[in-house]
């Protein structure tokens, strides 16, 4: 394997939920780089210790420098474009600036809104060993119980749809944020949306919208890499 | 003059406040096209009637087809890039998609937040003839009096700063949304911010932030075109 990656898993190790890890995996399949995404759980400090990072994703490039772990999905994207310039994720500084804007917007605006929709489902699906840590850290962050934080799922879904309106307008006119082909801006947003896609018991997007149709295209890319991802809804079916 | 434009003016005709008109003026100076921006007031239906549009900006290209008025700042930007391909505002479909995203975000997310900061100042500065129309149409839109809508200026300013966080992160790493040089994404956001810049009695941005510093760069572009714009704060000084 060219790339070794550490990837957040649910209780079912086949279900991978982290939006940041999904960005990295989409970037790797975009580049055509073979990789091994090892399942990691929130509380497995031992597995992350050698990487020097407290968070996932982390990767190391076994073909280049197996001693160097690279953390942070944005730094990984920059590393991949610098090291493997074919099939760029971002074209030039304008491409990097716009991808950074979209990724930052996802991190700071979209994720808190998705959290209100999906956090209780995340709690239900993660490994038993992670549950106490997850509840305690999230209830501290949100200042309320998970049940209170997620009490209005319908309102949370509407809030996400409202936030996505600028993407709705853009994607009504262009197949991808990258124009006619996907760029890292697409993978950043799609990564964020893989989070509820894999873990939420109800769909977040509406397939009739431009964003919903774009997400279906994102799932189909690269031989349906995203579409093949197991989700909690498969299990229930 | 190559281009004739109709541009929203305050009571003092030298003060031009419309965010959409600013986008068009920045695009025209970016292209190096001479233009005449005629002062228009909200209630001057007669002046707009020949254009077929109910809103500004509208332009007509006197060198190409004086019989054709082009409305809507986004359509004008596309027209300018198509008709005058040198010094593109947007490079390729990726550039158009990203500029559309930023402009849509400004329209649907940023403008409602700026309105809470600036609407009462707008009311104070517009032409006497526009006041009754402005108050009535805005109070109907907001569902409260202008005074109630703008009661918490400090909170409104903080809300705008919070919304700008993704731009703050991106502009900490890149001089412009367009990378090393401005693109239409920059002009879209700068146009939105010229609205409070020209009309608000207090500054909206903080010059110590990356967005504040970027806005200063935007004011300096093209021989200080934005910086030369008269504002209500000049009058008070």
């Amino acid at each position: 394997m060219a790339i070794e990656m550490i990837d957040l898993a649910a209780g079912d190790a086949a279900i991978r939920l982290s939006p940041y890890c999904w960005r990295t995996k989409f970037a790797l399949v975009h580049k055509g780089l073979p990789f091994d995404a090892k399942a990691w759980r929130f509380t497995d400090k031992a597995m992350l210790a050698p990487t020097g990072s407290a968070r996932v994703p982390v990767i190391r490039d076994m073909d280049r420098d197996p001693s160097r772990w690279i953390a942070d999905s944005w730094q990984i994207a920059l590393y991949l474009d610098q090291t493997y310039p074919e099939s760029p994720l971002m074209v030039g500084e304008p491409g990097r600036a716009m991808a950074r804007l979209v990724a930052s917007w996802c991190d700071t605006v979209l994720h808190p809104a998705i959290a209100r929709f999906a956090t209780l489902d995340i709690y239900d699906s993660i490994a038993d060993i992670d549950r106490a840590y997850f509840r305690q850290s999230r209830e501290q962050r949100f200042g309320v119980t998970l049940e209170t934080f997620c009490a209005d799922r319908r309102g949370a879904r509407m809030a996400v749809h409202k936030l996505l309106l600028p993407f709705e307008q853009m994607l009504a006119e262009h197949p991808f944020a990258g124009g006619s082909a996907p760029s890292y801006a697409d993978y950043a947003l799609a990564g964020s949306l893989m989070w509820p896609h894999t873990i939420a018991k109800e769909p977040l997007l509406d397939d009739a919208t431009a964003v919903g149709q774009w997400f279906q295209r994102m799932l189909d890319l690269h031989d349906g890499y995203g579409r093949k991802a197991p989700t909690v809804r498969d299990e229930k079916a």
Side-chain angles (χ1 to χ4, degrees), chain A:
Chain A
M1 284 294 158
I3 306 282
E4 186 178 308
M5 174 180 171
I6 302 181
D7 186 18
L8 178 66
D12 176 351
I15 296 182
R16 306 296 174 94
L17 62 152
S18 160
Y20 302 102
C21 291
W22 274 107
R23 290 178 190 172
T24 293
K25 288 180 284 182
F26 280 134
L28 289 166
V29 294
H30 177 94
K31 291 283 185 189
L33 290 169
F35 63 97
D36 180 16
K38 294 184 186 302
W40 171 83
R41 268 52 179 257
F42 283 113
T43 47
D44 189 349
K45 290 190 180 178
M47 188 174 174
L48 272 186
T51 72
S53 173
R55 294 180 181 187
V56 293
V58 283
I59 68 163
R60 58 175 173 169
D61 190 336
M62 306 305 282
D63 293 345
R64 305 275 168 147
D65 184 355
S67 71
R68 178 187 172 202
W69 286 95
I70 304 159
D72 186 285
S73 57
W74 178 247
Q75 294 304 321
I76 291 169
L78 294 175
Y79 169 83
L80 292 176
D81 260 358
Q82 190 166 36
T83 313
Y84 302 95
E86 270 190 64
S87 303
L89 295 160
M90 301 171 262
V91 177
E93 192 178 355
R96 286 195 297 280
M98 286 292 101
R100 182 69 162 124
L101 177 70
V102 171
S104 293
W105 179 84
C106 290
D107 300 350
T108 60
V109 180
L110 184 61
H111 287 186
I114 291 177
R116 283 200 180 267
F117 178 81
T119 297
L120 211 49
D121 292 347
I122 298 169
Y123 180 73
D124 287 345
S125 69
I126 56 178
D128 290 342
I129 198 171
D130 280 349
R131 290 236 167 102
Y133 155 80
F134 185 85
R135 178 178 283 277
Q136 198 241 328
S137 62
R138 268 51 178 180
E139 292 189 345
Q140 189 171 9
R141 184 187 301 170
F142 303 145
V144 290
T145 64
L146 300 186
E147 287 73 12
T148 302
F149 185 69
C150 294
D152 182 11
R153 183 195 282 271
R154 193 162 161 268
R157 185 168 185 257
M158 284 169 60
V160 170
H161 284 223
K162 191 176 171 200
L163 286 175
L164 288 170
L165 188 57
F167 286 91
E168 184 68 22
Q169 293 183 345
M170 181 266 286
L171 290 168
E173 295 168 18
H174 302 280
F176 298 100
S180 57
S183 72
Y184 194 72
D186 293 281
Y187 297 129
L189 179 60
S192 295
L193 294 169
M194 286 301 283
W195 182 32
H197 176 73
T198 52
I199 217 73
K201 290 168 189 165
E202 297 171 24
L204 172 62
L205 299 180
D206 176 349
D207 290 345
T209 61
V211 171
Q213 289 170 21
W214 161 86
F215 189 64
Q216 295 298 319
R217 288 195 292 280
M218 295 303 292
L219 292 176
D220 285 334
L221 286 174
H222 312 303
D223 296 320
Y225 179 75
R227 195 172 294 285
K228 287 172 195 157
T231 80
V232 292
R233 293 185 305 286
D234 304 332
E235 292 186 309
K236 286 166 68 181

